[in-house]
Amino acid sequence: MIKTSKLYNRFDYWCVFMLIASSGVYYMQQLNMPITGILLIVTGLLINYFYGHPLRKNLLKLMFILGIIFLNVFLNARNGINYNGVIIVCMQLFFLLEITSNMSFEKFQKIFLNIMVFEALLSVCCFLWVDVFSISNLPLQKWEMAPTGPVNMAPYYIVGWTAGPFGRNSGWFGEPGAHQIFLNLALVFALAQDKNQRGRVFKIIVLIITVITTQSTTGYMCLALALCSSIFSSRKFGNSGKVLAIIGLVILYYFESSMEIISDKMAGGGSYITRVNDTYGGYSIALSSPIIGYGMYKTNTAEIYAREGIGTISNGLASMAIGFGIIVVLFYLISILFGIKKYLNATFFSVVLVFAMIIFCMNAEGGATLPIYVLWLFDWNTCNFRECNQNSIRK
């Protein structure tokens, strides 16, 4: 029974890792998405076979989401159909259906947090090795040809693109701005943990430090929102989380005052002009077809973006609005807000801050329909794999 219990626990971790991997781990999402998609299907089928069928309410939600997707594809067929994109999103939705129907949100939070703390520690070590001290290449580090061009990387750490190392911590993910999304969400989960959870303080400190090493403008803003969401929460988990949040804000203020990451970007430095153009131009295109959009899985993307002088759009939410239309995007965001409210069990103000954090992430990075966001649309079970299997009622 001990061996069986360990196997279940490892499978839990594998499932949550696959959710993270399909949402942004560069080696799996960008370089090996066909293999990752197959792993999603196989993992989902294993969950279904060994643990239980999906919840009825999640099946209904899945059918509703697929209905919107296929209607959008049909209405915008004139713009072409990217069949690979449709297949990938169907794989991701099937996996989300299975994992949410057979795992509790509390279990998901715990495992997600543990995985991201491990990733944070690994990424900081790699960042110090290749960027800060420039000791040597990492084991297995080499140049890979990715869809966006050559990238210098190891399977477990993205060093940089053609211009050399980022000089910032990107971890498993495509760039530091994508890395911070997962770190800050893990921080929200850590701050929400019971004060008696083992290693809680250590995890919070590790995550705060790692977000700072990303030197991401959006990351710093989201870090402030995540910390404030804990300060203004009325959850009775002791004062240690709030104290750490205040200390974290002080540290963040110190680094921002010294490095001026946010103020430099707001003054027009870095990618400011590109991002502003992507945002205003993207939403301008979306407003020209607010009901049905231009097709989320269209093939003439470059032609449509060229109207506003956009190359590869960096604003994920604007991209989604262009694809699905404004109406669907508003419904999507409202559904995410209700999902956060339901499962974080926090005060209204804290929920709004976490929701604002997610909106910032969507607007700053591509991929507003990644599993890390869509998971808030589904209903999580009240039990976990084995226990769910023993429960014959699947409502």
Side-chain angles (χ1 to χ4, degrees):
M1 290 190 61
I2 293 174
K3 290 182 179 179
T4 303
S5 177
K6 288 182 179 179
L7 180 61
Y8 278 112
N9 289 334
R10 288 170 184 168
F11 189 66
D12 284 356
Y13 273 81
W14 169 256
C15 292
V16 178
F17 170 74
M18 284 306 303
L19 191 152
I20 296 171
S22 62
S23 296
V25 174
Y26 197 83
Y27 185 77
M28 299 187 72
Q29 188 209 16
Q30 294 291 331
L31 298 183
N32 296 286
M33 191 59 213
I35 296 174
T36 302
I38 292 171
L39 289 174
L40 289 175
I41 293 296
V42 171
T43 304
L45 290 173
L46 287 173
I47 296 173
N48 188 280
Y49 181 79
F50 287 108
Y51 304 113
H53 300 303
L55 298 171
R56 294 192 197 104
K57 51 190 174 183
N58 279 342
L59 273 173
L60 292 174
K61 289 186 176 185
L62 176 65
M63 288 188 288
F64 181 74
I65 293 171
L66 289 176
I68 291 175
I69 290 173
F70 291 127
L71 180 62
N72 177 262
V73 169
F74 173 76
L75 294 175
N76 291 284
R78 67 187 183 281
N79 293 322
I81 303 172
N82 181 353
Y83 291 100
N84 287 337
V86 176
I87 292 171
I88 288 170
V89 75
C90 288
M91 289 176 170
Q92 293 172 336
L93 287 170
F94 169 72
F95 176 74
L96 281 173
L97 169 72
E98 294 295 341
I99 189 174
T100 55
S101 295
N102 289 281
M103 181 182 287
S104 69
F105 187 74
E106 290 73 21
K107 185 75 170 179
F108 166 74
Q109 283 188 97
K110 179 181 177 181
I111 296 174
F112 182 92
L113 173 58
N114 289 340
I115 291 176
M116 287 311 304
V117 168
F118 168 79
E119 191 278 340
L121 291 169
L122 175 62
S123 71
V124 168
C125 291
C126 293
F127 175 66
L128 293 173
W129 188 274
V130 298
D131 276 293
V132 178
F133 300 117
S134 301
I135 297 173
S136 67
N137 285 348
L138 296 168
L140 303 179
Q141 180 180 332
K142 63 178 181 178
W143 287 97
E144 294 274 2
M145 183 54 66
T148 54
V151 58
N152 190 9
M153 60 174 288
Y156 51 88
Y157 187 78
I158 310 302
V159 179
W161 294 327
T162 53
F166 284 124
R168 300 155 60 198
N169 184 354
S170 58
W172 289 342
F173 306 90
E175 59 179 342
H179 190 193
Q180 64 82 20
I181 297 170
F182 298 83
L183 293 170
N184 277 311
L185 183 58
L187 179 61
V188 169
F189 292 162
L191 291 167
Q193 276 192 330
D194 188 279
K195 63 179 179 180
N196 297 319
Q197 284 286 333
R198 186 174 61 181
R200 176 173 177 254
V201 173
F202 172 75
K203 293 173 184 177
I204 292 172
I205 293 172
V206 166
L207 291 168
I208 291 174
I209 291 173
T210 309
V211 172
I212 289 174
T213 64
T214 66
Q215 298 177 52
S216 165
T217 303
T218 307
Y220 284 13
M221 295 169 70
C222 290
L223 175 58
L225 290 170
L227 294 171
C228 288
S229 73
S230 175
I231 294 173
F232 293 105
S233 175
S234 65
R235 290 172 298 217
K236 298 179 181 179
F237 294 148
N239 294 321
S240 60
K242 296 182 179 182
V243 171
L244 282 171
I246 293 172
I247 294 173
L249 285 171
V250 173
I251 294 173
L252 176 61
Y253 176 78
Y254 169 78
F255 272 90
E256 169 56 24
S257 299
S258 303
M259 303 172 69
E260 298 185 338
I261 301 293
I262 299 176
S263 54
D264 177 67
K265 184 66 69 66
M266 294 298 103
S271 59
Y272 176 81
I273 296 176
T274 300
R275 290 188 179 276
V276 168
N277 183 60
D278 287 355
T279 299
Y280 284 101
Y283 285 116
S284 177
I285 296 171
L287 287 170
S288 65
S289 182
I291 308 299
I292 63 172
Y294 289 92
M296 191 64 191
Y297 307 99
K298 56 190 175 296
T299 57
N300 63 344
T301 301
E303 178 186 333
I304 292 174
Y305 288 172
R307 300 175 188 177
E308 295 290 337
I310 298 172
T312 302
I313 194 166
S314 61
N315 190 311
L317 198 59
S319 175
M320 184 183 179
I322 293 170
F324 277 120
I326 300 292
I327 305 301
V328 171
V329 168
L330 289 175
F331 180 78
Y332 179 59
L333 294 178
I334 291 171
S335 299
I336 289 177
L337 175 61
F338 279 100
I340 295 171
K341 182 178 183 297
K342 180 176 182 180
Y343 288 107
L344 282 190
N345 191 29
T347 63
F348 175 77
F349 190 54
S350 295
V351 167
V352 169
L353 289 174
V354 174
F355 179 65
M357 184 187 85
I358 289 178
I359 295 294
F360 273 24
C361 292
M362 287 181 171
N363 277 285
E365 295 292 329
T369 58
L370 291 171
I372 195 67
Y373 302 126
V374 181
L375 66 85
W376 297 101
L377 273 59
F378 287 89
D379 284 288
W380 293 79
N381 212 320
T382 55
C383 54
N384 299 299
F385 293 146
R386 250 186 320 172
E387 295 82 2
C388 291
N389 191 38
Q390 296 168 357
N391 182 6
S392 60
I393 301 176
R394 308 288 293 178
K395 295 182 179 179

